[in-house]
């Protein structure tokens, strides 16, 4: 009789491909899924009767800013408590590596929005290899795959960021990017909407993206705009993909700003047209509000804005900008200027648009959670159970297998994460067992730091990392270096 490390019996297995659930026994050995059968004649050190529960591949958070958290807070509670077993870091043009802050930046805040990843003291990885080694040494609770941020590269080589890079700066940025790709980076990200990258031309991005194809890496982008000119920004992103022959992943696709509400259909039509020629995906978080650094361009009295942090006014955390402005007898714009540098939550997305985008077959789930915020957007703790509980079970926006596919099989395929994202024999045993009747987010805008309900057990590389009783204390995540696969 076969002896294994773990057998989960009689679970409803949702395998990550989108297929319907099936009641099966799943055996795990040496960190891998060893056998899957209707009734397994084997024994294991640990056996779980999972009748009534759903067993799925561990969730992949496709859009995170956990770059420094996986090292500084390797328990990764906000994520593993949701059933997440892998995080993609380095999004929106910002990454912890390769970064060499300028002397004057070392004692102040890193350039916006790199400050979303933490203070200057957390940027300690001059090369991507140094970062990969630090992640491995910190033994995070979840697996980590990393993109290289374009803004981070700009800051390494440019004296100022409000202009286009010149040819010699681009050559230096390319050398940094190549080092990172050689050390296992999975792709390049841009954050062209942010001031510190906005002056970069498409040509600057193209010259960097040219290195991606031979490495089978991807291009992800927080596009140049998500408001009026969103279609132009999409075309720019798609052109980078088609000219460089790399897959494109549009970050947190949304129609931002009240004047753009109702445009999701048009945006998705543009996406679908391009998808007939090239590989494109996008990620989305399941909330009608965004969050980032406080951007004066987004201050609009019609939009409810909550301040999440402020360096000169830490007491503003959790307060509404409207109230602060009133107390100070200033306009919201003036108050916002006084609060900077700061972070904010903007209730500037239409729920209807968000649902359309979330339900689209090219859409993956990404939290975009900001772990350094003292009063974070609830997406940090609630994204995945919210998609499963609220949008699949309650609202029936999509089926449970479709929802799971958006957070497992699809991202594994799009980001080329080898042998992950499916409950399949031979694959790594990243698994989550949950109650499909009760799974739900509990984090709210007023009370955002709360673990979700309904998660029974989470295994990372075959090791139990989280249960109903909380983290087990055994952290089994790995740094996932890009692997080139024959396609
Ligand atoms: Zn972004
Ligand atoms: Cu982001």
């Amino acid at each position: 009789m076969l002896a294994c490390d773990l057998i989960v019996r009689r679970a409803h297995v949702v395998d990550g491909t989108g297929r319907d659930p099936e009641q099966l026994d799943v055996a795990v050995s040496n960190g891998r899924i060893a056998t899957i059968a209707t009734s397994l004649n084997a024994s294991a050190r640990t056996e779980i009767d999972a009748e009534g529960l759903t067993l799925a591949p561990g969730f992949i958070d496709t859009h995170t800013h956990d770059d420094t958290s996986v090292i500084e807070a390797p328990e990764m509670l906000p994520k593993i408590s949701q059933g997440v077993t892998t995080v993609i870091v380095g999004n929106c043009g910002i990454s912890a590596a390769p970064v060499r802050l300028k002397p004057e930046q070392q004692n102040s805040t890193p350039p916006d929005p790199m400050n979303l990843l933490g203070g200057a003291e957390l940027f300690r990885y001059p090369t991507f290899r140094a970062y990969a080694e630090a992640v491995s040494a910190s033994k995070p609770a979840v697996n980590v795959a990393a993109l290289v941020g374009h803004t981070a590269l700009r800051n390494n080589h440019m004296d100022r960021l409000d202009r286009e890079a010149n040819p010699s700066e681009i050559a230096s940025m390319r050398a940094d990017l190549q080092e990172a790709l050689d050390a296992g980076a999975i792709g390049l990200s841009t954050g062209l909407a942010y001031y510190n990258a906005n002056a970069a031309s498409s040509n600057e991005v193209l010259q960097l993206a040219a290195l991606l194809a031979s490495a089978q890496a991807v291009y992800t982008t927080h596009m140049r705009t998500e408001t009026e000119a969103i279609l132009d920004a999409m075309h720019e992103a798609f052109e980078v993909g088609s000219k460089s022959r790399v897959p494109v992943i549009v970050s947190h696709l949304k129609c931002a700003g009240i004047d753009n509400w109702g445009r999701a259909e048009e945006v998705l039509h543009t996406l679908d047209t391009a998808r007939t020629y090239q590989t494109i995906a996008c990620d989305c978080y399941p909330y009608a509000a965004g969050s980032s650094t406080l951007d004066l361009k987004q201050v609009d009295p019609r939009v409810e804005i909550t301040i999440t942090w402020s360096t000169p006014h830490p007491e503003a955390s959790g307060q509404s900008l409207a109230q602060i402005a009133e107390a100070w007898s200033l306009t919201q714009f003036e108050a916002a200027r006084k609060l900077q540098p700061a972070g904010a939550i903007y209730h500037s997305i239409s729920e209807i648009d968000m649902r359309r985008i979330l339900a689209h077959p090219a859409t993956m789930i990404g939290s975009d959670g900001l772990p350094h915020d003292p009063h974070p957007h609830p997406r940090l703790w609630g994204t995945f159970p919210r998609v499963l509980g609220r949008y699949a079970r309650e609202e029936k926006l999509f089926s449970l297998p479709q929802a799971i596919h958006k957070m497992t099989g699809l991202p594994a395929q799009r980001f080329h994460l080898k042998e992950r994202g499916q409950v399949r024999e031979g694959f790594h045993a990243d698994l989550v067992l949950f109650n499909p009747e009760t799974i739900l987010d509990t984090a709210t805008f007023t009370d955002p730091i709360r673990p979700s309900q309904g998660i029974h057990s989470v295994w990372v590389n075959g090791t139990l990392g989280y249960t109903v009783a909380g983290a087990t204390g055994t952290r089994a995540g790995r740094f996932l270096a890009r692997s080139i696969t024959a396609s």
Side-chain angles (χ1 to χ4, degrees):
M1 205 159 67
L2 192 69
C4 0
D5 298 332
L6 165 74
I7 298 178
V8 180
R9 293 196 186 273
R10 299 194 298 166
H12 277 96
V13 175
V14 177
D15 70 2
T17 62
R19 255 200 301 267
D20 283 343
E22 221 183 315
Q23 187 168 308
L24 293 165
D25 292 355
V26 175
V28 171
S29 254
N30 299 319
R32 300 261 185 175
I33 296 165
T35 321
I36 305 172
T38 34
S39 180
L40 209 58
N41 180 21
S43 67
R45 278 192 282 132
T46 308
E47 298 207 15
I48 295 177
D49 180 2
E51 193 172 11
L53 301 176
T54 296
L55 184 71
F59 307 145
I60 298 167
D61 191 346
T62 59
H63 188 113
T64 84
H65 296 289
D66 291 330
D67 301 55
T68 59
S69 295
V70 295
I71 296 167
E72 305 301 319
E75 310 75 28
M76 290 299 291
L77 263 184
K79 296 300 165 68
I80 198 164
S81 64
Q82 297 182 56
V84 169
T85 57
T86 297
V87 295
I88 311 280
V89 303
N91 282 282
C92 296
I94 57 174
S95 55
V99 169
R100 298 175 292 278
L101 293 181
K102 300 178 178 102
E104 69 274 16
Q105 293 172 339
Q106 279 165 13
N107 298 315
S108 70
T109 38
D112 179 277
M114 287 171 71
N115 53 356
L116 288 177
L117 303 182
E121 72 286 357
L122 299 183
F123 289 86
R124 300 190 288 257
Y125 317 103
T127 62
F128 190 88
R129 187 170 304 278
Y131 176 72
E133 283 168 3
V135 172
S136 297
S138 72
K139 298 197 176 69
V142 299
N143 302 310
V144 181
L147 300 156
V148 175
H150 166 233
T151 306
L153 298 181
R154 284 169 67 79
N155 189 60
N156 286 346
H157 299 290
M158 297 175 69
D159 57 346
R160 47 190 296 179
L161 303 178
D162 59 351
R163 60 170 176 83
E164 190 180 349
N166 66 36
S168 88
E169 289 160 344
I170 290 175
S172 304
M173 285 157 65
R174 281 169 56 101
D176 266 0
L177 177 58
Q178 190 61 56
E179 182 274 329
L181 291 170
D182 292 343
I186 60 167
L188 171 72
S189 81
T190 59
L192 298 173
Y194 289 101
Y195 181 76
N196 284 327
N198 197 252
S201 63
S202 298
N203 176 56
E204 177 181 324
V205 176
L206 274 166
Q207 297 212 42
L208 295 171
L211 299 177
L212 300 174
S214 64
Q216 291 187 16
V218 300
Y219 174 62
T220 79
T221 179
H222 175 158
M223 299 186 296
R224 206 174 278 280
T225 178
E226 296 171 332
T227 60
E228 282 80 353
I230 184 170
L231 300 185
D232 295 340
M234 291 174 80
H235 290 306
E236 180 184 25
F238 301 160
E239 196 181 48
V240 171
S242 59
K243 285 192 172 158
S244 316
R245 285 172 289 111
V246 293
V248 177
I249 294 154
V250 177
S251 297
H252 42 61
L253 183 61
K254 63 170 102 59
C255 306
I258 292 176
D259 299 327
N260 283 291
W261 287 11
R263 294 184 64 196
E265 222 162 327
E266 188 188 353
V267 160
L268 291 171
H269 178 76
T270 304
L271 183 85
D272 279 332
T273 306
R275 283 206 315 145
T276 60
Y277 315 103
Q278 61 186 117
T279 306
I280 303 169
C282 61
D283 60 72
C284 179
Y285 46 79
Y287 296 86
S291 185
S292 186
T293 45
L294 178 58
D295 172 12
L296 297 177
K297 289 200 302 281
Q298 290 189 57
V299 174
D300 175 345
R302 297 172 298 170
V303 171
E304 187 193 329
I305 297 177
T306 311
I307 300 303
T308 52
W309 58 273
S310 161
T311 304
H313 295 281
E315 74 283 1
S317 172
Q319 291 186 41
S320 94
L321 178 62
Q323 281 163 3
I324 296 168
E326 203 183 295
W328 290 352
S329 304
L330 295 173
T331 65
Q332 290 198 29
F333 187 85
E334 289 162 345
R337 196 151 52 187
K338 238 181 109 171
L339 287 161
Q340 280 186 320
I345 293 169
Y346 309 87
H347 293 266
S348 62
I349 302 168
S350 137
E351 173 80 21
I352 297 167
D353 284 338
M354 184 277 286
R355 288 179 190 211
R356 281 219 169 101
I357 293 170
L358 197 67
H360 189 275
T363 303
M364 308 181 284
I365 310 303
S367 71
D368 202 6
L370 299 172
H372 291 276
D373 275 7
H375 186 92
H377 187 304
R379 65 195 185 188
L380 176 66
W381 286 81
T383 290
F384 292 81
R386 184 176 173 88
V387 169
L388 298 174
R390 199 166 306 262
Y391 291 110
R393 183 183 62 235
E394 292 173 7
E395 306 279 335
K396 301 195 168 35
L397 195 56
F398 27 62
S399 69
L400 181 69
Q402 283 166 335
I404 300 276
H405 178 61
K406 288 172 172 296
M407 42 181 87
T408 59
L410 183 61
Q413 195 184 352
R414 287 291 169 262
F415 286 96
H416 307 141
L417 304 179
K418 207 175 153 203
E419 297 171 336
R420 296 188 192 268
Q422 289 182 43
V423 180
R424 186 163 155 187
E425 286 179 5
F427 272 39
H428 296 282
D430 292 341
L431 296 165
V432 52
L433 187 64
F434 64 91
N435 186 331
E437 303 303 323
T438 62
I439 191 163
L440 198 62
D441 57 311
T442 68
T444 63
F445 285 98
T446 45
D447 192 4
I449 302 181
R450 297 191 59 182
S452 301
Q453 63 181 49
I455 300 287
H456 183 287
S457 299
V458 184
W459 292 270
V460 180
N461 295 305
T463 298
L464 185 65
Y466 188 85
T467 70
V468 269
T472 60
T474 313
R475 309 194 306 256
R478 291 182 199 151
F479 184 80
L480 305 183
R482 190 193 75 262
S483 48
I484 296 185
T485 48
S487 51

